[in-house]
Every structure is written in structure tokens, then in C-alpha cells.
Amino acid sequence: MNCENTKYSVEIKNDTLKLLTSDYFNYVFNIENGIYISWGKETTDDPTFSPFGPTIFDIEVTKKCSGIGGEDGSTPSKKSKGNCKFCYKSNTSSNNTIMTFETFKEIFNLLPDVLTQIAFGVDAKCKECPDIWKMMKYCRDNNVVPNITVADVSKDTAKKISEFCGGVSVSWYGDWDIFFNTIKNLYDSGVKQLCVHSMISLETKEQTYALLKRWNEIKNFVNAIVFLSLKKVGFAKEGFNILPQDEFTKIIEYCIKNHIPFGSDSCGCHKVESAYKELNLIAPTKFLEPCESGLFSGYCSADGIFYPCSFLEREELGIHYKDVPNDFLNYIWLSKFKDFRNALVCNNRKCIYYEV
């Protein structure tokens, strides 16, 4: 249904709930715990997309990253492990592209007020962007919840993260000491919505099982393990391969049999559904959301360019924020992203650029 011109209202209730109300798209977002429920004209309707702009957004604030380990990480005795070999951003310590607070404000102020959360793209230690805390505070001041993914943070950094962030994820790169200490630093600082990220590929399969076998050591601190699907872009373009469905199904089966709570990025949603089908189980479809790019989410790179997705930094899809005439909704969301969105929906919301 075309409801692009429908009027809507956004309000904050009791400093806790953010409510969007319209004829065809509605949501309730709990600012304190991140619970989000949306519906269409009727409560039984499942909306195809948000006609009023993204409800969640990814903003990369630095392309500079030194990886895990080293003197400024959570385990100073460890030698530097360097950059992640499958980093889809190809970030390195020599890339000095870092967003300023002033640029962030300009980008943030272009986004419609239906926004509920921003996921910040930072370096592994959350050290390289000096304005990150000012950015997060600005989000909170405007009723938007910051989220973040890290891999190796100190106690001091963990305290700052806990002050501002809702959801926090810790990436698993195979070094248990760094991984566990980061989880403990975040948990001890008061982070409640804490998850683990594990990238799934043929080459990282055993690394994933190594994590699953030690679940009991972290189960009291984190909510779940979230599997991220390999996209062959950036460093991951060479040397990494998609994990076949049957092997992916075995991982899901291992989690179910061992009572390990798990989730998936939206890219891998269809593989999770297929795994349940292969196991003769009913998939929890109400908790599975396929690709949201251009439908409910968007992305801005550290150099200020809007794209539908952080994996799609392609010239034909991007537009610099300074070229947006103060109307993100009509100029970007309902126009620039329209063809991408339609193609995605026609493909059953499966990625139209990468094999997953």
C-alpha cells in the first residue's frame, strides 16, 4: 500500500516509551530495554517498510582501527593481534577518516524523528573517535538510543559505554582472554543488554564451535550469541567462503541441543529458517527479521555518505549528506533508496548483492 504521504505523530511517554502513530505504520519503542513492536493499519499487520524514514540507523564514525590486543586494550600484557582478517570494512590503523561531532550533528539532524536507535561503527577498542561520547549524549538528548559493537575494551571505556549505550555486542575473534575480559568489563560496568557476535564462514567454523563449547563460562554475563553471515567484501573478499547450509544447520542444532540462546543478523535470517526446516522444527518467525536495508534501516559512512546498507558502499547507491537538500525523507528514503527497496522486496528480502 502506498502510504508515503500519510501524516504521523511521534511522542515520548513517561520518558520511557517512544510512540509513532499513523494510519498505516505504528510502533512502540521502549527506550530503557530496547523492546520494539510495530504494526500496520491493524495490530495483526506486518508492515513492509517504514514510509516515514528509517527507525534504526548505522553510522560509521571511524575507518581507523588497530584491531585487538596491545597496550591500550583490556589485556595490556597481550601482544597486538592486529586487524581482523575478515573485516568487511578493510579498516586499518593507517586510515585516518574519523567523523567529527559537528558532522555527526548535521547528519543526525537530517534524519526523520521516527528514528529509535543508532548503531555506531567504531574501532575494536572504541578509542579512535574522540567525539564518540558527545555523539552518544546527543542521541540520548534526542530520545535515540546508541548501540555499539566492540572487541577489546578497557574498564574505563566500558564505563563510558554503559553510561550511554543500550545494546552492546562483543565480537569473538578467537582470543579468549581478550574476549572474556571485555565481556566482564562491560558487565561489571552495568551493561545489561550484552550479546556476543560470531562471524560464520567455512574458515571460522571451528572458531565458532570453540566459542559454543565455552558458553557456560559466559552465560551469566551475556544474553545470547548472534551469528553474523559472511559477505565477501573488504578483507573477507579473499580467503573466506560461505558456510554451506548443512554446516550452518549443525551449528543451530548444537545451540538448540545445548540450550544456548542464539540469534542472527538479518542477512542470515533465511538460513536460520532453513535450518529449522531441516531439523523438522517450527521456526520462531515472529523473532526473525530478514534484510531491513532501505525498509527500516539505513547507513552513513565515516566520510558522510548515505547508503542503504553498510555492506553496499557502491557509488551508484551513495549520496553525500551535504548533497541532501535538508529533506532526507523525500530525497533519500523515498527516492534514492526506492529502486533498491523494491528490488529487495521482490527478492523476498534476500540480499540482492551477495551470496549469504
Side-chain angles (χ1 to χ4, degrees):
M1 178 173 291
N2 186 345
C3 50
E4 296 176 0
N5 297 318
T6 302
K7 294 182 179 180
Y8 72 92
S9 65
V10 174
E11 63 176 315
I12 307 298
K13 192 172 183 178
N14 299 326
D15 296 324
T16 302
L17 299 179
K18 188 167 187 175
L19 311 175
L20 182 149
T21 305
S22 78
D23 290 339
Y24 297 107
F25 180 68
N26 305 270
Y27 72 61
V28 176
F29 173 67
N30 190 310
I31 295 171
E32 291 187 352
N33 59 27
I35 293 176
Y36 172 89
I37 301 171
S38 64
W39 64 97
K41 186 174 183 179
E42 306 293 339
T43 55
T44 54
D45 296 337
D46 188 8
T48 303
F49 86 110
S50 166
F52 312 119
T55 58
I56 56 177
F57 212 78
D58 293 342
I59 298 184
E60 178 190 46
V61 295
T62 177
K63 292 182 182 292
K64 185 175 184 178
C65 180
S66 300
I68 63 174
E71 295 183 356
D72 59 346
S74 64
T75 52
S77 63
K78 291 284 183 181
K79 293 182 179 180
S80 177
K81 303 293 181 179
N83 295 98
C84 175
K85 293 180 180 179
F86 49 77
C87 176
Y88 74 96
K89 299 296 299 179
S90 302
N91 289 344
T92 66
S93 59
S94 60
N95 192 331
N96 291 315
T97 304
I98 298 173
M99 187 179 290
T100 65
F101 177 60
E102 289 69 26
T103 296
F104 173 80
K105 279 203 305 182
E106 291 182 40
I107 292 168
F108 183 99
N109 292 339
L110 284 173
L111 300 175
D113 60 356
V114 301
L115 191 64
T116 64
Q117 303 177 69
I118 286 180
F120 281 90
V122 297
D123 59 293
K125 300 182 179 74
C126 193
K127 290 283 189 179
E128 299 296 352
C129 179
D131 290 338
I132 183 64
W133 313 120
K134 291 170 66 176
M135 295 173 179
M136 288 187 176
K137 184 179 185 302
Y138 192 76
C139 288
R140 286 289 185 175
D141 290 344
N142 288 277
N143 299 304
V144 172
V145 177
N147 297 324
I148 198 170
T149 299
V150 291
D152 179 15
V153 298
S154 65
K155 291 182 179 179
D156 288 342
T157 301
K159 289 179 182 177
K160 296 294 290 184
I161 289 174
S162 68
E163 181 181 349
F164 295 109
C165 286
V168 181
S169 295
V170 178
S171 295
W172 164 240
Y173 293 147
D175 187 302
W176 186 262
D177 290 340
I178 289 176
F179 175 72
F180 183 79
N181 287 342
T182 295
I183 288 174
K184 280 291 277 125
N185 287 343
L186 290 162
Y187 180 84
D188 291 344
S189 73
V191 175
K192 294 181 175 62
Q193 306 297 326
L194 186 58
C195 288
V196 168
H197 280 176
S198 181
M199 200 280 284
I200 299 291
S201 72
L202 195 59
E203 289 72 22
T204 59
K205 180 182 71 172
E206 295 307 319
Q207 182 174 293
T208 297
Y209 276 112
L211 169 62
L212 295 176
K213 290 174 182 177
R214 302 187 73 167
W215 167 251
N216 286 338
E217 298 177 50
I218 59 173
K219 68 178 183 180
N220 292 327
F221 311 120
V222 302
N223 296 335
I225 295 176
V226 179
F227 300 122
L228 308 183
S229 301
L230 171 71
K231 273 72 67 179
K232 298 192 72 171
V233 60
F235 289 160
K237 194 172 183 178
E238 303 292 338
F240 291 89
N241 295 282
I242 303 297
L243 188 68
Q245 179 65 51
D246 62 333
E247 293 293 334
F248 182 84
T249 298
K250 289 177 182 178
I251 290 176
I252 300 302
E253 183 179 29
Y254 184 95
C255 290
I256 293 172
K257 286 185 175 180
N258 291 278
H259 308 290
I260 300 173
F262 66 91
S264 167
D265 58 4
S266 60
C267 314
C269 174
H270 293 282
K271 293 188 79 167
V272 174
E273 288 188 274
S274 295
Y276 271 83
K277 185 176 180 179
E278 290 181 3
L279 295 170
N280 294 315
L281 298 172
I282 299 174
T285 52
K286 67 179 179 179
F287 298 115
L288 295 174
E289 186 78 53
C291 183
E292 301 176 317
S293 300
L295 299 172
F296 301 100
S297 67
Y299 165 72
C300 186
S301 65
D303 40 15
I305 301 177
F306 289 120
Y307 301 93
C309 166
S310 61
F311 293 96
L312 297 177
E313 292 194 25
R314 298 165 181 256
E315 184 177 355
E316 70 272 19
L317 296 175
I319 183 168
H320 199 278
Y321 81 95
K322 287 188 176 180
D323 295 327
V324 179
N326 204 33
D327 189 357
F328 178 92
L329 178 62
N330 288 297
Y331 195 77
I332 300 294
W333 193 250
L334 298 178
S335 180
K336 182 71 174 180
F337 288 177
K338 186 175 182 178
D339 289 344
F340 173 87
R341 174 167 55 246
N342 290 340
L344 183 63
V345 171
C346 288
N347 198 42
N348 196 28
R349 291 174 67 177
K350 291 182 180 179
C351 187
I352 58 178
Y353 279 89
Y354 301 106
E355 178 188 359
V356 178

